[in-house]
Every structure is written in structure tokens, then in C-alpha cells.
Amino acid sequence: MRNLVRQPQQERSIEKKNRIIEAGYQLFSEVGYYGTNTAEIAKRAGVSTGIVYGYFQDKRDILICVLELYINKVFDPFLRLFDKLTPPIDFEILIPKLIEQAIKTHKNNRKIHEALHSLASSDEAVNAQFIALEDNITLKISDKLSKLEVNIDNPLEKIHFAMDIIQSFSHEYVFDKHDYIDYFVMKEMVVKILKDLFN
Amino acid sequence: MRNLVRQPQQERSIEKKNRIIEAGYQLFSEVGYYGTNTAEIAKRAGVSTGIVYGYFQDKRDILICVLELYINKVFDPFLRLFDKLTPPIDFEILIPKLIEQAIKTHKNNRKIHEALHSLASSDEAVNAQFIALEDNITLKISDKLSKLEVNIDNPLEKIHFAMDIIQSFSHEYVFDKHDYIDYFVMKEMVVKILKDLFN
Amino acid sequence: MRNLVRQPQQERSIEKKNRIIEAGYQLFSEVGYYGTNTAEIAKRAGVSTGIVYGYFQDKRDILICVLELYINKVFDPFLRLFDKLTPPIDFEILIPKLIEQAIKTHKNNRKIHEALHSLASSDEAVNAQFIALEDNITLKISDKLSKLEVNIDNPLEKIHFAMDIIQSFSHEYVFDKHDYIDYFVMKEMVVKILKDLFN
Amino acid sequence: MRNLVRQPQQERSIEKKNRIIEAGYQLFSEVGYYGTNTAEIAKRAGVSTGIVYGYFQDKRDILICVLELYINKVFDPFLRLFDKLTPPIDFEILIPKLIEQAIKTHKNNRKIHEALHSLASSDEAVNAQFIALEDNITLKISDKLSKLEVNIDNPLEKIHFAMDIIQSFSHEYVFDKHDYIDYFVMKEMVVKILKDLFN
DNA sequence: AATGAATGAGCCTTCATTCAT
DNA sequence: AATGAATGAAGGCTCATTCAT
């Protein structure tokens, strides 16, 4: 009965909803989920506190939408790297591009990545959303690869794990910056591993 | 004067401080950092609310100590796997053991891992602590390997990245459980990658 | 200028105002005054939120109108029981009928009765309205009785108090249901008391 | 886990809890349950907002305690009227005393009575508490009467209903004050009815 | 006359931290 | 050193009412 959330149909409404998501995105990035309050989100979105609850069930619901936005921001440019390819794929060229893209993304999304991941661990819905979106990515890439005539064993496992490795390396590269690590060397390692995986 | 935190010298005090850290560890694991309040920590540690602030500056300070405990709980059994080895190392045997250990650890530390990582992203001190402890691990393993007469190029990069891969896979294995992934296959992939890396 | 409330003249408007009152009646009955919000009333009435304030000054104003509707719904069937009577009145028959009617009414108006009464206690206007409507009832019944050639001392006091007793018993009967009370016995008590009062 | 409410053992704590209840009592009386906020209750009780939730689960929990206080304030003087009696009871004398007491009580508790009753209708716990306390009263009076050698049929039904009648009349007398009612006459009616009931 | 999106004050509740004992 | 009651600021959310259309 209560708590019905408007499904915005009109453009102005959709735009306003997006402004709120964008504001949430920024603030969660800057100070994390728990460091952000709804009033602040509303303020940055240029709307009133109340209307936020016209578009979202609660604060966590904003997070879920931010998560979707994040995934798109992160994976769309990633997927687009496959778009102009024609068989046969030259992994020697593709893989470094993918890594570069992942690094770029990580730089642009420093904090939100962890913010979202951490929420996933304590919130089943966020976690489910995360898994669903990851599934989506893996399957899309798999689809693209098969259209590009890449025929390998266990493609889903390989793709999924390759993504993990790339994420992991990008994270290292952007965030941790240990003194004793030569990241150029490490990157070459990753490239080699991935090439071996897909050839 | 006011904010001085006791450096517990006497054994009873040290033991009490450790009980608080252990309680924090448990609760952060169970319900995360923001799902835990200090009263609860005190209660589980069997001390009064007030005295917590005798041993710790604030709640975050507990987290920092929990982080150290966590790292030890996670990496000590890992390091111990190297202890009884004699050269030459059979990576064919060692690597699966390391992976098994990582999975076991992940299972026992489901939530705290994310809790800590997420805090790291929004808290510079936590992050610094994290990096320092990772450094420590990498260097220790490197030391062990060289004593075991393993001579490879770029050992630090390889060790660090190998740890990343193992963490990443364990995480997959314990948390996400995508339907379409055959985790046995994936595990074999990881083993092969690591063997190639160290041979 | 601002706060002027339309006095609906046209039939369509009057009908709409009544729909709002009816919706308020239902919702106040179901979840009480404070459990109901104006948006919900508008929705159930099939009108927009805004227009409610075209017909009513504020939420309390709706309550006042609901009160009137309530009194009518409650007392009209009550009064109608006197309509077909011809002198001399057989109280032995009438009184049980009145009680039955009161019980029926109570059952159909479980919550709104208390909702209205409680508002009366904190709101002078509601209270005044309540008293005025009760006066009206008492005088109407008195009128009917005298037309039915019932000549008793202090008719107004007796009628008013009889109504109180009936209300009180019906309330007991419908709401409280104490285990140790035999409500059939109690009902007979009420019938006897009222018979004695009017003979 | 959370939300544990202190069971105050020490006198100072008990006194503080009582101060909060008394403050709630006053405010609910003055402006009703929904017209009162917890900050106001705390302020009037001379405590901080937070500590209220150290003694009570939530706002409603305060209401429940206020209800108990109310019942005691109302019924204790009522019950005490039976204390000095010796058999045989002269109802001619007792009944007017009871009525006087009920009127006095009503005057001193103008608004809270309705406030509580209305909450009962929308809150099962409050209602249950109400019923339990009414039961208690009825049984206590029954006990007293039997010790005073009053032997009547259906004592519980009679007592309960007599209480209803007295409440009802007192309410009329104190609150409604209809112009056309001679309350002296009405009171005599009540006395007579009750005498007939218990003889 | 009508819509329903928008406003923003206000409320209940929590909790890190302090303080009297 | 220790207790645990007390503080009070802050946050999520609701809803009566207004306003642009």
C-alpha cells in the first residue's frame, strides 16, 4: 500500500531520477555509502529530500541503481573494444587494450568499486545484482568471441577468470602501488598468461 | 591529555585489549563494520563500554587492530605451508595446497574480508596498513623461496601476482558461485597458470 | 484567498467530495486517523492528491465530515427501528432489537469509533460536532417516543443514558471479549435494566 | 541482540524511568500520543533523548507504561473505597461514593483516557494490556465483595458492567455536558440501577 | 477544476563517545 | 583501571500541504 515508488515515465522524471543516481554515484565514490546521507544526495541532485523517496524505495535502492550505472560505466567501454574486431583475433593486440581500459576505468572509479563490493557482502540484494551483472558480462563476451570464431575449451571459465585477473591487476596498479613492484613487468606477466589462456 | 590511549603494559591489560580485538574481529565478520556497535564489541569482549576507549582511540582504531589480526589469521597458515619444504620444490604439489588453504581461509572469513577492503578504500590509514601487511607477506614468501633455492626472474612481481590470483579465485569459489562456471575446471586453470609462472 | 475551500455546487463536485469522505471513512476505520495519509485517501477516492485540498481545508476537515457520515451510518438504522412502531410500544421486543442493531453497527465500525472518539478528546471542534450530533439523536428519539405515546419522567436523561449503556455493552461485546464474562448473561442484564428504566 | 532495554535496578534509575513515564503521562494527556514527540518527553523528564531508549524499547513502550500508571491512578482509589467496609454492605452509601470517585478521576485525567483507549484500538499490545488490567480490576472487586459476604448471581458480569456504567456516566458528566440533561437526575438513575443490580 | 510531482519540516531512533562514580 | 549510564548530534524516512502545469 504505502511506499509505492513512482515508475517515472516522462522524460523530466527520468532525468531527475538519473540525476539522483548520478549524485549517489558521486557521493558514494567520494565518501562511501555510510559516509553519505540522503539529504546530501538530494542536495547534489538539486531536488528535495522527500522526492528521493518518490523515486527510490530507500537509500539502499539508490545503491542498487548506482551499481547498475557503475557496471555500465565500467563494462560498456570494455565490451566496445570487441566491436570492431574481425576474425581472426590478434590477442597480442587485444589483451593490452583490455588491460589499458581496465586501468582507465579503475582510475575513474577509485572508491566506488570497493564501496559497492563491500555492500554486496552484507546485502543479499546487492550481491545478487552484482552476480547477475557479472553473468551478463561474461555471457556477452563469450557470445562476441564465438562470433569472432574463437573456439576454445571452457570459454566461460576462461573469460570469467580472465576478467578476474585483469580486475585484480588493474586494482593493484591503480590503488596499491607497492614500491618493490615493477608494474611494467607485472603487466607483461598478465598479458602472457592471458595469451596462453586463449590460444 | 584527554585523548591519550593507554599502552597496556601489564599482562591482564594486554589480554583485555586482545579480547576486544577478537570481539571486534568476530562482529565485523558477522555483520560488518557498520553493523557493529562498540557496546556490542565491549559486551562480547566481556568488558564495559567505557573501557574500550581506554584501549582504543575510537572505533576505527579497533578496526586497524582487527585488520592486523585478520592478516595474521589469513597468512600465517599460508606461510606455514612453506615451512617443512625442502628443495627442490614440487610446485605441482605445493600450488594446490596453497589454493586449498586460501579457500579454507576465505570460508572462515567470509565477511570481514570485504569489510576490511571497503574500509581501506575510504580510509587512508586502513589502506596503508593493508599495503604494509601485504608487503610483509610478499617479502616473507620471497625470502622463503630463495632459501628453498627457487631462482626465478622477477620473484616479487610473480609472488605478488600469484597471491592476487589465488585470492581472486578463492573469492570466486567461496562467494559468487555462478551457475554456469565449473569451478573444478577453473581451479585446474589456476594451477596451470601458477605452475607456468614459477617454472 | 489562499485557503478558501470550494463549496461544491455542481452535482459532480458534490459526488466527488462524498467519495473522498467515504474513502476517509474506510481508511480511518481500517487503520485509524494517524495510520492514514491523504494520498491514500485520494487514491481510494479515485481523485488526485491535490484536489483533496480543493474540497477540504486540511486532513482534520476530512475527519469532521467523516464523523458526520459515521453518526448517520450508526444512528440511522437505529432510528429506523422506531419507524414502523405503533403504540403501545412493547419494550420487551424493541430493546433487544436496539441492542442487536448496536452490536451490528459496532462490528461494522470497529476502529473508527475509537478513532473518532480519541480525536474528539484532543480536538475541540471534533468534540463539539460529536456532542451536537448526539444531541440531535437524543432529541429525535425523544420525539419519536412521545409520538408513540410513551410518557415517562425525565425522558431525555433516560434516553441518553440508555444509549450510553447500549453503546457500552456493544463495545464490550464486540471488542474486549474477556474470558470470564458470559456475554449472554450480560446482555440479559442490559435488557432488564432498560426495561425497568422505561416502564 | 540490539535494542536491549536496561532493567533498572538501582533506585536512581528507577526514579528516572518513572520520571519519563510521568512526563509521557502528562504530555499524552495534554496533546495526545501523536502530538507528543520523544524529545519533548525527554526534555520534560529532564533527561537526554538517547537515554529514553535506554529505558524503553520505543515510544509505544512508553505508552504501555503510561497505561499502567493511568490504570493505577484510576483504580487504586476506587479499590480503596472497599477497604474499610464491613459486612453487610450498604450499597445506598457505597454506590454514590464510587460514582463520586469515578467523576473525580475523570476530571483529573481528562484527555489521557481517550488517548489510551484510541491507541488500544489500533495497537494489539496496548489493547491486550488494557484487557488484562480490566480483568485484574474486576477480579479484585469480585474478591472483595465475596469477602464482604455479598452473594449474588453472575458477580463478574455484574461488576464488569457496573464499572462500564459508572465509567460511562462519569464520562458524560465530565466531558459532554449536554444542556438539556439534568445530571442530578441522571445520577440518581445510575444509583438506582446499580442498587437493583446488586440487591 | 484537476493533476501528481515536489517540498521540507519534523519524527523516531541509533550510536560513538564522554563522564560521574 | 573500570563501569555503564548518559549525552546529543545525526540519519533515514514520512507526509501534510503546495505549486507548476
Side-chain angles (χ1 to χ4, degrees):
Chain A
M1 285 290 189
R2 214 62 47 82
N3 283 337
L4 273 191
V5 172
R6 248 186 294 287
Q7 277 306 333
Q9 303 290 344
Q10 292 161 346
E11 269 185 56
R12 270 218 5 240
S13 280
I14 291 173
E15 193 252 329
K16 196 165 283 188
K17 181 168 187 177
N18 285 335
R19 279 220 313 277
I20 295 168
I21 295 170
E22 182 61 38
Y25 186 90
Q26 289 172 21
L27 284 163
F28 295 162
S29 296
E30 290 167 21
V31 288
Y33 181 75
Y34 291 103
T36 304
N37 63 38
T38 51
E40 201 73 22
I41 294 174
K43 197 171 155 192
R44 186 165 304 191
V47 299
S48 71
T49 331
I51 199 58
V52 170
Y53 292 85
Y55 293 108
F56 302 89
Q57 202 126 49
D58 52 22
K59 191 185 169 188
R60 212 205 53 180
D61 194 19
I62 303 176
L63 183 81
I64 305 260
C65 294
V66 166
L67 171 56
E68 199 173 338
L69 175 63
Y70 163 75
I71 298 276
N72 288 335
K73 285 202 183 187
V74 167
F75 287 103
D76 275 1
F78 213 89
L79 289 173
R80 234 170 292 132
L81 291 176
F82 290 83
D83 282 349
K84 294 173 200 154
L85 299 180
T86 51
I89 292 185
D90 184 347
F91 283 105
E92 193 87 35
I93 293 173
L94 177 61
I95 289 167
K97 277 190 186 168
L98 292 171
I99 293 173
E100 284 309 316
Q101 178 57 46
I103 288 172
K104 210 155 89 185
T105 294
H106 258 86
K107 278 185 180 154
N108 294 335
N109 297 273
R110 288 188 70 86
K111 285 184 180 170
I112 193 127
H113 177 81
E114 296 293 352
L116 291 168
H117 249 297
S118 86
L119 264 288
S121 82
S122 62
D123 186 314
E124 200 41 54
V126 177
N127 195 42
Q129 175 88 342
F130 239 123
I131 290 176
L133 292 161
E134 281 179 7
D135 285 1
N136 189 20
I137 301 298
T138 304
L139 297 173
K140 272 185 182 158
I141 292 179
S142 166
D143 193 46
K144 281 178 193 290
L145 285 185
S146 86
K147 277 178 188 152
L148 290 163
E149 294 168 19
V150 176
N151 293 304
I152 48 174
D153 292 342
N154 307 308
L156 295 176
E157 284 76 9
K158 282 180 179 163
I159 291 166
H160 202 93
F161 193 60
M163 296 291 290
D164 274 354
I165 290 179
I166 291 175
Q167 292 291 321
S168 190
F169 170 70
S170 309
H171 189 87
E172 278 295 333
Y173 187 84
V174 173
F175 291 116
D176 294 354
K177 284 287 184 194
H178 300 271
D179 300 332
Y180 55 88
I181 298 285
D182 179 336
Y183 286 94
F184 180 79
V185 167
M186 201 187 243
K187 188 177 167 184
E188 292 306 303
M189 271 166 42
V190 178
V191 172
K192 184 175 181 314
I193 286 170
L194 294 181
K195 266 197 311 187
D196 291 352
L197 204 57
F198 286 91
N199 282 325
Chain B
M1 277 305 189
R2 202 55 65 89
N3 281 328
L4 268 192
V5 172
R6 252 183 295 287
Q7 278 305 332
Q9 304 290 344
Q10 294 170 342
E11 269 184 57
R12 267 202 23 224
S13 282
I14 292 173
E15 194 252 328
K16 197 169 279 190
K17 181 169 187 178
N18 285 335
R19 280 220 311 278
I20 296 169
I21 296 169
E22 180 62 36
Y25 183 91
Q26 289 173 21
L27 285 163
F28 296 162
S29 296
E30 290 166 21
V31 288
Y33 181 74
Y34 291 103
T36 302
N37 61 40
T38 50
E40 203 75 17
I41 294 174
K43 195 172 154 195
R44 178 147 334 173
V47 299
S48 70
T49 326
I51 202 58
V52 170
Y53 289 81
Y55 292 106
F56 301 88
Q57 199 130 43
D58 53 23
K59 191 184 170 187
R60 209 204 55 177
D61 194 18
I62 304 176
L63 183 80
I64 306 257
C65 294
V66 165
L67 171 57
E68 196 174 341
L69 176 62
Y70 163 74
I71 299 275
N72 289 335
K73 287 205 182 188
V74 168
F75 288 103
D76 275 2
F78 215 88
L79 289 173
R80 232 170 292 130
L81 289 176
F82 290 83
D83 281 351
K84 295 175 198 153
L85 298 180
T86 51
I89 293 185
D90 184 347
F91 284 105
E92 193 87 35
I93 293 173
L94 177 60
I95 289 168
K97 276 188 186 168
L98 292 170
I99 292 173
E100 285 309 317
Q101 178 58 46
I103 288 171
K104 208 156 91 186
T105 295
H106 251 89
K107 277 184 180 153
N108 294 336
N109 296 273
R110 290 185 71 88
K111 282 188 180 169
I112 197 151
H113 178 82
E114 297 292 352
L116 291 168
H117 252 293
S118 89
L119 265 289
S121 84
S122 64
D123 187 312
E124 201 43 53
V126 177
N127 195 41
Q129 175 88 344
F130 235 124
I131 290 176
L133 292 162
E134 279 179 10
D135 286 1
N136 188 20
I137 301 298
T138 305
L139 296 173
K140 273 186 181 158
I141 292 179
S142 167
D143 193 46
K144 280 180 192 288
L145 285 185
S146 84
K147 277 180 188 150
L148 289 162
E149 296 167 18
V150 175
N151 292 304
I152 48 174
D153 293 342
N154 307 307
L156 294 176
E157 284 75 9
K158 282 181 180 165
I159 291 166
H160 202 93
F161 193 61
M163 295 291 288
D164 274 354
I165 290 181
I166 291 175
Q167 291 293 320
S168 189
F169 170 70
S170 309
H171 189 84
E172 278 297 332
Y173 187 86
V174 173
F175 287 108
D176 293 350
K177 289 287 182 194
H178 299 272
D179 300 333
Y180 55 89
I181 298 287
D182 179 334
Y183 287 93
F184 181 78
V185 166
M186 203 189 243
K187 189 177 169 184
E188 293 305 304
M189 270 164 44
V190 178
V191 172
K192 186 178 179 310
I193 285 169
L194 294 180
K195 266 195 313 187
D196 290 353
L197 204 59
F198 287 90
N199 281 327
Chain C
M1 276 306 188
R2 203 55 67 88
N3 280 327
L4 268 192
V5 172
R6 255 184 293 287
Q7 277 306 331
Q9 303 290 345
Q10 294 169 341
E11 267 184 59
R12 268 207 16 229
S13 282
I14 291 173
E15 194 252 328
K16 197 170 278 190
K17 181 168 186 179
N18 285 335
R19 280 219 312 277
I20 296 168
I21 295 169
E22 180 62 37
Y25 184 90
Q26 288 173 21
L27 285 163
F28 295 162
S29 296
E30 290 166 21
V31 287
Y33 181 74
Y34 291 103
T36 303
N37 62 40
T38 51
E40 202 77 16
I41 294 174
K43 195 173 154 195
R44 177 146 338 170
V47 299
S48 71
T49 326
I51 201 58
V52 170
Y53 289 82
Y55 293 106
F56 301 88
Q57 199 129 43
D58 52 23
K59 191 184 171 189
R60 209 205 55 178
D61 194 18
I62 304 177
L63 182 81
I64 305 258
C65 294
V66 166
L67 172 57
E68 196 174 338
L69 176 61
Y70 164 74
I71 298 276
N72 289 335
K73 286 206 183 187
V74 167
F75 287 104
D76 275 1
F78 215 87
L79 289 172
R80 233 171 290 130
L81 290 177
F82 290 84
D83 281 351
K84 293 175 197 155
L85 298 181
T86 52
I89 294 184
D90 185 346
F91 284 105
E92 194 86 35
I93 294 172
L94 177 60
I95 288 167
K97 277 189 186 166
L98 293 170
I99 292 173
E100 285 308 318
Q101 178 58 46
I103 287 171
K104 209 155 91 187
T105 296
H106 250 89
K107 278 184 181 152
N108 294 335
N109 297 273
R110 290 185 71 89
K111 281 189 182 170
I112 198 152
H113 178 82
E114 297 291 354
L116 292 168
H117 252 293
S118 90
L119 266 287
S121 84
S122 64
D123 186 313
E124 202 44 52
V126 177
N127 194 42
Q129 175 89 343
F130 234 124
I131 291 177
L133 291 162
E134 279 178 10
D135 286 0
N136 187 22
I137 302 297
T138 305
L139 297 173
K140 273 186 181 157
I141 292 179
S142 166
D143 193 45
K144 282 181 191 289
L145 284 185
S146 83
K147 276 179 187 152
L148 288 164
E149 296 167 18
V150 175
N151 292 304
I152 48 172
D153 292 342
N154 307 307
L156 295 175
E157 283 76 10
K158 282 181 178 164
I159 292 165
H160 202 93
F161 193 61
M163 296 289 290
D164 275 356
I165 290 179
I166 291 175
Q167 292 292 321
S168 189
F169 170 71
S170 309
H171 189 84
E172 278 297 334
Y173 187 86
V174 173
F175 286 107
D176 292 351
K177 289 286 181 194
H178 299 272
D179 299 334
Y180 56 88
I181 298 287
D182 180 334
Y183 287 93
F184 180 77
V185 166
M186 204 188 241
K187 188 177 168 184
E188 292 306 303
M189 271 164 43
V190 178
V191 172
K192 186 176 178 313
I193 286 169
L194 294 180
K195 266 196 314 185
D196 291 352
L197 204 59
F198 286 91
N199 281 326
Chain D
M1 285 288 190
R2 216 61 49 84
N3 283 338
L4 272 192
V5 173
R6 248 187 293 288
Q7 277 306 332
Q9 304 290 344
Q10 293 161 346
E11 269 184 56
R12 268 213 12 237
S13 280
I14 291 173
E15 193 253 326
K16 196 165 284 190
K17 180 168 188 180
N18 285 335
R19 279 219 312 278
I20 296 168
I21 296 170
E22 181 62 38
Y25 187 91
Q26 289 171 21
L27 284 163
F28 295 163
S29 295
E30 290 167 23
V31 288
Y33 180 75
Y34 292 103
T36 303
N37 63 38
T38 51
E40 200 74 21
I41 294 174
K43 197 173 156 191
R44 185 164 307 189
V47 299
S48 72
T49 331
I51 200 58
V52 170
Y53 290 84
Y55 293 108
F56 301 89
Q57 202 125 45
D58 52 21
K59 192 186 168 189
R60 213 204 53 179
D61 194 19
I62 304 177
L63 183 81
I64 305 259
C65 293
V66 166
L67 171 56
E68 199 173 338
L69 176 61
Y70 163 75
I71 297 275
N72 289 336
K73 285 203 184 187
V74 167
F75 287 104
D76 276 1
F78 214 87
L79 288 173
R80 234 171 291 130
L81 291 176
F82 289 83
D83 281 351
K84 294 174 198 153
L85 299 179
T86 51
I89 292 185
D90 185 346
F91 284 104
E92 193 86 34
I93 293 173
L94 177 61
I95 290 167
K97 277 188 185 168
L98 292 170
I99 293 173
E100 285 309 315
Q101 178 58 46
I103 288 172
K104 211 155 87 188
T105 294
H106 258 86
K107 279 185 180 153
N108 293 336
N109 297 277
R110 287 188 70 87
K111 285 183 179 169
I112 192 125
H113 177 81
E114 296 292 353
L116 290 169
H117 249 296
S118 86
L119 264 288
S121 83
S122 63
D123 187 312
E124 200 41 53
V126 177
N127 194 43
Q129 176 89 340
F130 239 123
I131 290 176
L133 292 163
E134 281 179 7
D135 286 0
N136 188 20
I137 301 297
T138 304
L139 297 173
K140 271 186 183 158
I141 292 179
S142 166
D143 194 44
K144 281 178 192 287
L145 285 185
S146 85
K147 277 178 187 153
L148 289 164
E149 295 168 18
V150 176
N151 293 304
I152 49 173
D153 292 343
N154 307 307
L156 295 175
E157 284 76 9
K158 283 180 178 165
I159 292 165
H160 202 93
F161 193 61
M163 296 290 290
D164 275 354
I165 291 179
I166 291 175
Q167 292 292 321
S168 190
F169 171 70
S170 309
H171 189 87
E172 278 294 334
Y173 187 85
V174 172
F175 292 116
D176 295 353
K177 283 288 183 192
H178 300 272
D179 300 333
Y180 56 88
I181 299 284
D182 179 336
Y183 285 94
F184 180 78
V185 167
M186 202 188 242
K187 187 177 168 185
E188 291 305 305
M189 271 165 42
V190 176
V191 172
K192 186 176 179 313
I193 286 170
L194 294 180
K195 266 197 312 187
D196 291 352
L197 204 59
F198 285 91
N199 280 327

